[in-house]
Amino acid sequence: PCPNDVDIPANFSAMNYYRVFGLLELARRNYRNLGKKRKGDGTIVDARASVCVECGECEPKCPQKIPIIKQLKETHEALGK
C-alpha cells in the first residue's frame, strides 16, 4: 500500500476504462470519486494519482514491475482534467 493513501489499483482500473474501452467519462468519474475515498477506519482520503509524491516505495514491491510513478502521472494527466 502507498504511504500517502494513493489507491494504485483503483487509479489503474479507472485508466483501463479509458485505455482499453475508450470510456473517458466513466474513467474520469471513477478517478474523481477517488478524491473522497473512505478507508477501512472510516476516514476519507484523497486516493487519486495526483497525491503521489513519487517516494518510490511502491515500485520495488510490484510483482509485475510496473513503472507505477510514470503510470500514475499518465493517469492524472488523462483523467484529472
Side-chain angles (χ1 to χ4, degrees), residues 28-81:
R28 284 185 173 159
R29 183 173 49 239
N30 287 353
Y31 181 74
R32 239 186 342 267
N33 289 338
L34 287 173
K36 47 191 178 228
K37 182 170 181 166
R38 187 175 303 274
K39 289 174 55 170
D41 64 3
T43 58
I44 297 186
V45 296
D46 187 345
R48 292 176 292 186
S50 61
V51 178
C52 176
V53 297
E54 300 181 29
C55 69
E57 287 190 36
C58 56
E59 290 190 352
K61 297 175 186 174
C62 179
Q64 297 170 314
K65 306 297 182 216
I66 296 169
I68 295 172
I69 294 169
K70 178 179 179 257
Q71 294 286 334
L72 287 174
K73 282 182 183 180
E74 289 175 6
T75 298
H76 179 65
E77 288 171 7
L79 306 179
K81 298 175 180 171

